[in-house]
Amino acid sequence: MLDESLLDAPDTLAHADRDGLLRGAAEAGARVRTALRHTAEAGIAGLAPEGRPRAVLIAGSGAAATGVADLIAALATNAAPVTRLRPTGVAAAAGALRWALPGWAGSVDLLLIATTDGSEPGLALLAEQAYRRGCTVVAVAPRQSPLSEVVDGTHGLMVPMATAPNGQYGQNGQYAQNGQYGRPGEPGRSGPAEWYEPEGTPVAGPGALWALLVPLLALLDRVGLLTAPAETLQLVADRLDRTAERCGPAIATYSNPAKTLAAELADSLPLIWTEGPAAAPAGRRFAAVLAELTGRPALAAELPEALPAHSALLAGHFAGGAAEPDDFFRDRVEEPQAWRARVVLLRDRPAGGLTAAPAARELALGHDTAISELEPEEGSELEALAELVAVTDFATVYLALAGAAPA
């Protein structure tokens, strides 16, 4: 159950946030800037590729690496095939996972490795296998991790993962750096618009996605598979900062899109319908982090295919207008709250200007099913993607914290 009153209690949310999830969501812009610095130091801007790779292979463990693979596949579109190498093993643990290259992989292919851990022996073995096959290997992982030692030097190009900003919660939900409070990504009174953290174990939170993604976007821009110059990535960082200001814990629910969405999803089964190139991967990530952080099932589908795919759900027991049992005198006090479907429509610019949004609204409202809508501000595809990911990340964190915090 979600206690909606806790959404406007920043101190209670901070007390419940033992894993630093709110900080992880708020630090995303700072992570992008630090990742850009690491990318420049690694020399990616100076690379002189001899044509495009035939195929891009992506490997990594955890939800962040899975999101990276999905986002790159969506952004690269038809420039080159993008394949995620799925791990095998007896458990989802660093020592138990193994990855293998497809039989056709060779010297004209590019292997990308993304991990917030870096201790997986299977990824080190994969890098060595790729080196023997002649594949180009680029990895983003924590500095001084076992994987970085394998990849760095003869085996490929290593970019240190941008670690979490060294900040703590302060008054009114702001963040402190060296005792000075400020908004995420903004300069302190005497510091730069980028936070630094001593080398150590990275925090794998919502911001980890950008720490892994940004260096790989810069690399793929350099080899011509997508468009993500440094200027655009700086705009992404700015968009993430502005979204964090709108969605932070000190902002009241009535003017906070993330808290509003969290409140609307209380006791709901989210049906995440997406439209537009940036919205589709954002919707799939939203469903994944809802399951991971809140234990809440969610279904994601792209319009217009979502309409026939989910129409039976809207007509069944999960519909908003589903009939209650006929026993009027039954005891409802101990009865669990029935979940009802709620459509969450994430929209970007639809292809060709055509939109299925009116049909989506008609189908949902025709079955007395509520609908929430998110549409990013104008900007590039990457900026739209960043805003949708940031708002839904914050909403997921609020659902997790308000559902677990003591009243």
Side-chain angles (χ1 to χ4, degrees):
M1 295 292 293
L2 178 72
D3 186 347
E4 294 186 24
S5 66
L6 297 179
L7 293 175
D8 288 324
D11 291 339
T12 304
L13 289 173
H15 179 72
D17 192 11
R18 297 180 180 88
D19 296 322
L21 297 175
L22 276 172
R23 185 178 69 182
E27 74 194 13
R31 286 264 194 140
V32 170
R33 294 185 180 90
T34 306
L36 283 172
R37 178 172 60 87
H38 290 178
T39 299
E41 292 172 353
I44 285 180
L47 294 178
E50 298 178 357
R52 295 180 177 181
R54 177 182 61 180
V56 177
L57 307 170
I58 305 178
S61 60
T66 301
V68 165
D70 189 23
L71 291 171
I72 288 177
L75 294 169
T77 58
N78 297 322
V82 178
T83 302
R84 181 192 169 213
L85 301 182
R86 299 182 181 276
T88 59
V90 297
L97 297 175
R98 293 293 182 270
W99 289 261
L101 291 174
W104 49 262
S107 59
V108 293
D109 302 310
L110 173 62
L111 171 64
L112 306 178
I113 300 177
T115 174
T116 58
D117 188 341
S119 67
E120 305 93 335
L123 288 177
L125 292 173
L126 176 67
E128 292 175 352
Q129 182 188 14
Y131 175 69
R132 292 193 299 269
R133 294 268 200 98
C135 295
T136 300
V137 180
V138 178
V140 183
R143 195 190 303 270
Q144 297 178 348
S145 62
L147 178 63
S148 69
E149 296 175 1
V150 171
V151 174
D152 198 14
T154 58
H155 286 79
L157 177 63
M158 175 69 202
V159 182
M161 175 185 163
T163 50
N166 191 18
Q168 299 293 333
Y169 281 111
Q171 298 174 349
N172 300 322
Q174 292 180 322
Y175 291 78
Q177 179 199 11
N178 300 325
Q180 298 181 358
Y181 293 101
R183 291 192 178 98
E186 289 187 347
R189 288 182 295 231
S190 60
E194 178 184 342
W195 286 330
Y196 298 88
E197 178 186 45
E199 294 301 331
T201 303
V203 179
L209 171 76
W210 299 102
L212 297 178
L213 179 63
V214 167
L216 301 181
L217 290 178
L219 172 73
L220 296 177
D221 174 80
R222 191 64 185 168
V223 301
L225 294 185
L226 50 79
T227 302
E231 297 79 9
T232 297
L233 294 175
Q234 289 286 358
L235 292 175
V236 166
D238 294 340
R239 179 71 66 95
L240 289 169
D241 286 345
R242 291 198 302 273
T243 306
E245 292 174 15
R246 295 165 51 216
C247 298
I251 306 301
T253 298
Y254 69 86
S255 59
N256 187 320
K259 287 184 179 180
T260 299
L261 180 58
E264 291 172 345
L265 290 180
D267 306 316
S268 296
L269 172 66
L271 302 182
I272 304 168
W273 295 353
T274 63
E275 184 173 59
R284 291 190 290 269
R285 172 178 165 79
F286 188 23
V289 295
L290 277 171
E292 181 184 28
L293 297 183
T294 72
R296 180 184 300 263
L299 300 175
E302 297 181 44
L303 292 175
E305 290 87 352
L307 303 182
H310 292 170
S311 60
L313 280 170
L314 296 181
H317 296 295
F318 292 106
E324 294 286 345
D326 294 333
D327 184 4
F328 179 80
F329 296 100
R330 74 186 188 279
D331 184 3
R332 292 175 171 83
V333 175
E334 299 299 330
E335 188 175 287
Q337 177 70 35
W339 278 26
R340 295 289 181 249
R342 185 180 188 98
V343 172
V344 180
L345 180 57
L346 304 183
R347 298 186 64 206
D348 187 24
R349 297 177 298 276
L354 299 175
T355 176
R361 298 186 190 103
E362 182 179 357
L363 177 62
L365 298 178
H367 290 285
D368 295 325
T369 299
I371 185 168
S372 303
E373 297 192 35
L374 288 178
E375 188 169 352
E377 299 174 359
E378 291 293 326
S380 66
E381 183 178 343
L382 275 173
E383 291 176 85
L385 172 63
E387 182 176 339
L388 291 174
V389 167
V391 174
T392 53
D393 275 357
F394 268 104
T396 303
V397 170
Y398 287 129
L399 275 171
L401 297 181

